[in-house]
């Protein structure tokens, strides 16, 4: 990382009491884009890891998170086995695999390939398994073929997620070297994901605590080139933590330094709000150049607004250059609180007119439980008293009268407020 403070600029806003500094910084992934790097806007680099030292990653934040990511950066791919469910473990036949459709992580949310393709009409179908209301376990019902970072092909079943522990079984396609491993959420409770290498049969603590980083620089899979037969094409860019929002604004290049009107623009929850296509390859010079003159306004979890401008990309070292500046400081901090409430929405996003299951869990009985739905302007759509006993509860919410956009669904108790963003398409 190379960092330079360029200048100080006054910002006329009642909530900002000091002068903002524009900082120039450079993040380098290394030759061949070998690394992945996590970055905090106020605190700079927070750590890096080799991009290809893992194969699958299990969602560990939240008691009900169950998504599983696959590492696509070095050719890693996963296919749901089309010829049988997990009962066909002993007779796997990969003839025709080249024509199978691969599954890929979402590029707009931290939703993994194992979980992204869930049945949206059934809130208990999580893709790789079925949620059991009686035991509160997710029981695996699907089998996958996975290509690891070393190019080996293995068969894989996620057996279950029970009491916060994932159990999964993997083997060579011919059944040899069959292994059952576990990964406990509690070992990575402060992280978004816990990682696993199928070749070495080891779990890996790769990423910083989720409240320590805002951006992650590296490679990820995109569907932007699917029309050219390049589904799952790997690109190099910037994703954001799922507690952040981004507004992309195109302005005249000469106006970028002074333009701070973030409130005039819509913020998105998509983790690729910055993404990769701020740069473009120039065949004439065999190098990359900036593709547009965009500003990225980034709203952090505590309400602060940062202004980010990408200024260059060097392919040889995987270096990304940018300027950053905090242009708004939230005086009344309203961060998502750590509490005993878990809230999950399914499906999310939802189509207009679709019923949404609001699944919530209280670790213990509360004296107050209120469900509230509002839009991003703070306009109230629904307020309702809900069940307040310990355990799992389900409410149903109808989206028929909602315009497309982003909403906030919250559960308020006497001690805390838990908020989830919700999208109507």
């Amino acid at each position: 990382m190379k960092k330079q403070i360029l200048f100080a600029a006054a910002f006329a806003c009642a909530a900002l009491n000091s002068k903002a500094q524009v900082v120039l910084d450079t993040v380098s992934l290394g030759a061949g884009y070998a690394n992945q790097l996590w970055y905090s806007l106020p605190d700079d680099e927070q750590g890096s890891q080799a991009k290809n030292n893992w194969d699958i990653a299990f969602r560990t934040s939240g008691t009900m998170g169950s998504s599983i990511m696959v590492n696509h950066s070095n050719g890693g791919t996963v296919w749901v086995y089309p010829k049988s469910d997990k009962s066909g473990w002993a007779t796997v036949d990969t003839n025709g695999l080249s024509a199978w459709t691969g599954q890929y992580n979402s590029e707009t949310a931290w939703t993994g390939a194992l979980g992204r393709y869930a049945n949206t009409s059934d809130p208990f179908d999580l893709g790789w398994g079925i949620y059991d209301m009686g035991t509160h376990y997710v029981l695996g019902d699907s089998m996958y073929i996975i290509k690891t970072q070393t190019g080996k092909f293995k068969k894989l079943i996620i057996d279950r997620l029970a009491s916060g522990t994932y159990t999964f079984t993997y083997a060579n396609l011919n059944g040899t070297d069959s292994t059952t491993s576990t990964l406990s959420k509690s070992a990575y409770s402060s992280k978004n994901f816990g990682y696993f290498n199928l070749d070495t049969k080891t779990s890996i603590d790769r990423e910083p605590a989720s409240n320590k980083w805002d951006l992650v620089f590296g490679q990820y899979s995109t569907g932007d080139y699917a029309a050219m037969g390049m589904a799952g094409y790997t690109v190099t860019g910037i994703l954001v933590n799922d507690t952040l929002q981004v507004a992309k604004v195109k302005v005249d290049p000469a106006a970028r330094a002074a333009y701070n009107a973030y409130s005039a623009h819509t913020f998105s929850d998509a983790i690729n709000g910055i993404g990769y296509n701020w740069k473009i390859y120039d065949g004439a010079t065999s190098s990359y150049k900036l593709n547009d003159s965009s500003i990225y306004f980034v709203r952090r979890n505590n309400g602060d607004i940062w202004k980010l401008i990408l200024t260059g990309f060097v392919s040889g070292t995987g270096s990304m250059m940018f300027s950053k500046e905090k242009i708004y400081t939230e005086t009344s901090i309203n961060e998502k609180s750590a509490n005993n409430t878990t809230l999950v929405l399914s499906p999310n996003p939802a189509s207009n007119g679709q019923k949404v299951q609001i699944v919530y869990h209280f670790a213990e009985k509360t004296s107050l439980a209120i469900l509230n739905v509002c839009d991003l302007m703070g306009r109230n759509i629904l307020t309702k008293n809900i069940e307040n006993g310990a355990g799992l509860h389900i409410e149903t919410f109808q989206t028929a009268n909602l315009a497309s956009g982003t909403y906030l669904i919250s559960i308020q108790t006497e001690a805390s407020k838990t908020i989830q963003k919700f999208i109507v398409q």
Side-chain angles (χ1 to χ4, degrees):
M1 175 187 66
K2 296 179 180 179
K3 182 173 68 172
Q4 177 186 357
I5 296 176
L6 184 61
F7 63 86
F11 179 70
C13 179
L16 190 63
N17 301 316
S18 61
K19 291 186 177 181
Q21 290 181 323
V22 176
V23 176
L24 303 181
D25 207 348
T26 299
V27 165
S28 296
L29 303 178
Y33 315 142
N35 300 308
Q36 185 179 32
L37 187 145
W38 292 265
Y39 188 94
S40 165
L41 287 170
D43 300 316
D44 307 325
E45 291 186 16
Q46 297 298 301
S48 66
Q49 287 279 335
K51 70 178 181 183
N52 61 357
N53 65 0
W54 64 283
D55 295 304
I56 53 178
F58 300 85
R59 186 76 190 202
T60 54
S61 59
T63 59
M64 297 180 67
S66 59
S67 182
I68 302 170
M69 296 184 68
V70 172
N71 190 354
H72 301 302
S73 66
N74 199 39
T77 314
V78 67
W79 301 265
V80 62
Y81 186 60
K83 302 178 182 182
S84 172
D85 58 17
K86 69 177 185 179
S87 63
W89 177 262
T91 56
V92 165
D93 175 12
T94 57
N95 287 326
L97 182 143
S98 61
W100 298 355
T101 301
Q103 294 193 349
Y104 296 91
N105 307 323
S106 170
E107 60 185 301
T108 59
W110 292 109
T111 303
L114 278 63
R116 179 185 177 191
Y117 298 86
N119 181 0
T120 57
S121 65
D122 181 357
F124 301 107
D125 183 346
L126 305 185
W128 60 263
I130 304 296
Y131 179 77
D132 187 303
M133 281 287 290
T135 62
H136 305 314
Y137 294 170
V138 183
L139 303 177
D141 64 348
S142 301
M143 181 163 58
Y144 297 89
I145 305 300
I146 186 168
K147 181 183 178 183
T148 71
Q149 290 294 288
T150 59
K152 297 178 181 178
F153 287 84
K154 295 182 180 290
K155 52 187 177 180
L156 169 71
I157 293 174
I158 311 301
D159 299 296
R160 61 188 174 275
L161 170 58
S163 302
T165 296
Y166 294 92
T167 301
F168 50 104
T169 301
Y170 48 101
N172 296 326
L173 296 182
N174 62 7
T176 60
D177 200 25
S178 182
T179 305
T180 297
S181 297
T182 61
L183 187 140
S184 173
K185 286 188 176 188
S186 61
Y188 306 93
S189 59
S190 66
K191 317 294 180 72
N192 286 347
F193 289 90
Y195 297 78
F196 197 88
N197 186 306
L198 293 172
D199 289 326
T200 62
K201 305 178 184 180
T202 55
S203 56
I204 307 169
D205 188 355
R206 296 183 74 249
E207 65 182 40
S210 58
N211 63 353
K212 297 295 184 182
W213 64 275
D214 301 311
L215 315 175
V216 58
F217 294 77
Q219 293 190 309
Y220 62 94
S221 177
T222 179
D224 286 354
Y225 298 97
M228 296 184 287
M230 301 166 67
Y233 185 73
T234 299
V235 294
T236 303
I238 307 168
L239 300 177
V240 304
N241 206 335
D242 57 9
T243 59
L244 276 67
Q245 293 180 313
V246 178
K248 178 180 179 179
V249 183
K250 289 189 176 182
V251 298
D252 185 279
R256 288 199 300 179
Y259 190 86
N260 289 332
Y262 62 87
S263 61
H265 304 281
T266 301
F267 282 78
S268 168
D269 298 318
I271 66 173
N272 64 343
I274 300 174
Y276 72 93
N277 53 10
W278 45 269
K279 59 186 180 336
I280 189 170
Y281 186 73
D282 183 356
T285 62
S286 299
S287 63
Y288 283 85
K289 64 181 181 181
L290 296 179
N291 193 29
D292 58 40
S293 58
S294 296
I295 294 170
Y296 299 90
F297 294 117
V298 181
R299 179 186 286 132
R300 299 186 73 235
N301 188 34
N302 63 358
D304 292 350
I305 306 290
W306 286 73
K307 175 181 171 181
L308 195 71
I309 299 176
L310 279 303
T311 58
F313 178 76
V314 180
S315 60
T317 57
S319 297
M320 291 173 248
M321 287 75 82
F322 56 95
S323 69
K324 64 176 182 177
E325 174 189 5
K326 185 165 74 166
I327 60 173
Y328 174 82
T329 300
E330 179 64 75
T331 54
S332 122
I333 296 175
N334 183 26
E335 294 185 289
K336 292 181 183 177
S337 58
N339 52 58
N340 291 326
T341 305
T342 300
L343 172 61
V344 176
L345 311 174
S346 179
N348 187 14
S351 302
N352 183 271
Q354 192 171 17
K355 288 185 179 180
V356 176
Q357 297 276 356
I358 302 172
V359 183
Y360 65 99
H361 180 273
F362 290 138
E364 56 189 28
K365 180 179 173 64
T366 69
S367 60
L368 171 73
I370 298 175
L371 173 68
N372 187 71
V373 182
C374 66
D375 63 19
L376 292 181
M377 300 299 292
R379 291 174 294 213
N380 188 66
I381 295 167
L382 172 70
T383 299
K384 179 182 180 181
N385 290 315
I386 55 177
E387 291 291 330
N388 62 344
L392 190 74
H393 308 282
I394 298 178
E395 290 283 337
T396 301
F397 177 62
Q398 177 58 258
T399 66
N401 297 321
L402 296 183
S404 297
T406 301
Y407 298 84
L408 298 177
I409 293 182
S410 65
I411 292 181
Q412 176 80 54
T413 70
E414 72 277 8
S416 62
K417 187 175 186 179
T418 301
I419 303 173
Q420 283 279 6
K421 297 165 190 172
F422 170 65
I423 298 173
V424 177
Q425 295 178 329

